Amino acid sequence: LEMVVGKKAIHTEALENLVPKIVDTLIEEYELVLLERPQISFTQVDEGKPLVMDMTFEVRPEVALVDPKDLVVEKPVFTFTDEDIDRAVEGFRKEHASLVSVDGRSAVESDTVKVHYSAVLAGEEVPFTEEDAHIHLHSPELRNEIRSALLGAEPGADVSVTIHMEDDYKDERFAGKDVTYRFNVLEVQEEILPELDADRISEWTQGKASSLEELRSLLRDRMVKEMEYRSAEAVKNGAFAKLVEAASVELLPETLVSREEASLREKEREYLEQQLSTTLEAFLEQSGQSLEAYEAELRERAEKNVRNSLILEAYADKAEIEVGNEDVEREMRLLAFRERVPLKKVYELYGKNQQALAALVHNVRMGKALAHLASCVTVKEIPAGGDETRAESEQPAEDSAAK
């Protein structure tokens, strides 16, 4: 055999078969969680002598966690009255209202105005994917500065308003900066609310209600479910925040931080190019942020994400969180529903892409870990929307849920 293929080829094949077994043995013996396959260099591969090699492992760092029962998390308790149901009914009517263009008068707070708009940041106009919009002046989500600027406007009017945006504003182009919005009012539209008769109620609720009383009951049930969901999410978010605050991570692996940094940068480049038709460099120049400052902020976000991920993974390990076939099946069905694609297509996608499947399983496991954490912390119930009065009693989350 040596005469046919050569001694070097025999050695290479032997090492290819032997080294993975050695690595697996070391991983199992020392209970290592690798971030990357080890780097291996051979220092002695001489015939008749022991094989000597150096292995460099990058492993997941040690994470020190506290007992989740020692974490006290506030749970907002929502209550609502008949007046809240009345407002929900009015909201239901508004959802099915018709808009009629009006002439001869200026906009009032109950109106909707159709506008063409632009934004100016640092003296330059900012591109939008949509430049025409319907602005509901009565919407509680509308900024007061914009509402005040548009109240009293008539079709054809040009209106502008400058707003100082919050530091954590969702559009990073505007966060912490003064932005001037320019509106050209195209139409003033009056909202005509429909009467709620049995036929309309039945049609608009897909047959779930056919009278005003049934509609009120349906809306009440929806509100209860929404409030329960918001309370549960508040506990999960609060529990994770407390877990992260109390945990300590030995050392953030540079491999993971660099990988997360690159991922964040690529996602932001794609967003700017596809949604805003601009480049990262042009965006930074327009927003007045230096590349060095951007990279420093990106690094900080990457480190935070990696630290949070390591802590949650450590908790999942400690709690022995596992993902079964039924969990994956449920997640795929939810994905098909959200994306409005056939379930078969989702199966095919993940069947062909093992990396995507592994990411899906990981996300499911982290979701289960969060749910498990929320069930173990100590919950303190407080009235939603204020800290004026607080419940004095504290109890583990599982007792609170049972109650």
Side-chain angles (χ1 to χ4, degrees):
L1 181 61
E2 182 178 326
M3 294 177 61
V4 176
V5 299
K7 185 180 296 185
K8 185 177 180 179
I10 296 174
H11 286 173
T12 300
E13 183 178 356
L15 290 175
E16 288 176 351
N17 292 330
L18 178 63
V19 170
K21 294 178 182 179
I22 296 174
V23 171
D24 291 341
T25 300
L26 290 173
I27 291 172
E28 184 177 352
E29 182 176 345
Y30 291 95
E31 298 181 348
L32 303 177
V33 180
L34 300 190
L35 302 178
E36 297 280 349
R37 294 299 293 178
Q39 297 178 357
I40 302 173
S41 61
F42 297 97
T43 57
Q44 181 172 281
V45 197
D46 298 330
E47 185 175 355
K49 294 182 180 181
L51 173 65
V52 180
M53 56 184 171
D54 292 331
M55 293 187 185
T56 303
F57 294 89
E58 187 167 18
V59 299
R60 194 172 71 187
E62 291 291 330
V63 178
L65 301 173
V66 299
D67 188 333
K69 286 185 172 58
D70 293 336
L71 302 175
V72 180
V73 178
E74 292 181 342
K75 176 183 179 180
V77 178
F78 296 88
T79 58
F80 46 88
T81 65
D82 287 342
E83 287 74 18
D84 295 316
I85 305 298
D86 292 340
R87 283 190 286 271
V89 171
E90 283 305 293
F92 181 82
R93 293 179 69 198
K94 287 180 181 295
E95 288 178 14
H96 299 90
S98 56
L99 296 175
V100 177
S101 183
V102 294
D103 296 316
R105 70 167 176 81
S106 57
V108 297
E109 192 163 348
S110 59
D111 288 336
T112 293
V113 291
K114 182 180 179 182
V115 300
H116 181 88
Y117 71 99
S118 62
V120 176
L121 176 66
E124 295 187 20
E125 189 166 310
V126 181
F128 285 96
T129 53
E130 293 184 14
E131 295 183 336
D132 287 349
H134 287 82
I135 298 179
H136 307 290
L137 299 182
H138 51 77
S139 172
E141 286 81 25
L142 182 64
R143 286 182 174 272
N144 288 328
E145 299 96 328
I146 294 178
R147 180 184 295 107
S148 298
L150 291 173
L151 281 173
E154 297 184 0
D158 291 315
V159 176
S160 65
V161 59
T162 300
I163 303 173
H164 182 75
M165 312 304 283
E166 299 82 359
D167 291 338
D168 59 350
Y169 188 65
K170 61 184 178 181
D171 191 330
E172 294 181 359
R173 296 175 300 169
F174 300 160
K177 299 180 176 65
D178 289 332
V179 182
T180 298
Y181 288 96
R182 294 173 177 171
F183 302 97
N184 174 245
V185 180
L186 304 177
E187 281 185 76
V188 174
Q189 299 172 328
E190 184 178 358
E191 194 175 62
I192 307 298
L193 298 180
E195 294 299 323
L196 293 178
D197 56 36
D199 289 339
R200 284 173 174 162
I201 291 174
S202 180
E203 178 186 351
W204 293 337
T205 62
Q206 291 79 48
K208 295 176 182 177
S210 58
S211 68
L212 184 57
E213 284 307 309
E214 289 179 357
L215 175 63
R216 290 176 66 86
S217 178
L218 178 65
L219 294 176
R220 179 185 177 85
D221 290 344
R222 289 179 180 175
M223 290 174 68
V224 168
K225 290 179 180 178
E226 171 66 17
M227 298 311 163
E228 289 175 346
Y229 172 79
R230 289 170 61 183
S231 290
E233 287 298 297
V235 171
K236 281 201 291 188
N237 293 336
F240 183 59
K242 289 292 183 72
L243 181 72
V244 167
E245 182 182 0
S248 61
V249 181
E250 186 180 45
L251 182 67
L252 293 181
E254 182 59 32
T255 297
L256 294 185
V257 175
S258 297
R259 188 183 300 162
E260 178 67 12
E261 211 172 351
S263 176
L264 289 173
R265 187 184 297 106
E266 183 61 28
K267 287 177 182 177
E268 290 176 0
R269 283 188 183 277
E270 288 181 2
Y271 173 79
L272 291 169
E273 291 172 3
Q274 296 176 9
Q275 301 298 322
L276 304 176
S277 301
T278 189
T279 64
L280 176 61
E281 291 73 20
F283 164 71
L284 292 176
E285 183 179 353
Q286 186 180 58
S287 62
Q289 185 179 21
S290 68
L291 180 61
E292 292 74 16
Y294 168 77
E295 291 292 344
E297 183 268 340
L298 191 72
R299 174 78 181 190
E300 185 177 336
R301 278 192 288 147
E303 289 179 348
K304 180 180 178 181
N305 291 351
V306 169
R307 184 174 188 273
N308 290 353
S309 179
L310 288 171
I311 291 171
L312 189 56
E313 287 173 2
Y315 181 84
D317 291 345
K318 186 175 181 179
E320 298 181 347
I321 303 297
E322 296 182 353
V323 176
N325 292 334
E326 67 279 2
D327 299 314
V328 176
E329 171 77 14
R330 187 183 307 112
E331 186 67 17
M332 287 186 175
R333 288 184 179 275
L334 286 172
L335 183 61
F337 175 77
R338 287 195 300 265
E339 300 297 325
R340 298 182 180 180
V341 297
L343 182 59
K344 183 179 179 181
K345 187 174 181 179
V346 175
Y347 288 156
E348 291 175 352
L349 171 67
Y350 285 100
K352 296 176 181 176
N353 191 333
Q354 292 301 304
Q355 186 175 358
L357 179 60
L360 181 140
V361 171
H362 174 78
N363 291 338
V364 171
R365 186 168 185 256
M366 294 303 98
K368 292 184 69 173
L370 274 177
H372 183 278
L373 173 65
S375 72
C376 294
V377 297
T378 297
V379 169
K380 176 183 284 187
E381 293 187 346
I382 62 168
D387 297 333
E388 297 83 2
T389 58
R390 292 175 179 270
E392 294 297 328
S393 61
E394 294 181 9
Q395 63 279 335
E398 56 265 34
D399 296 339
S400 176
K403 182 178 178 181

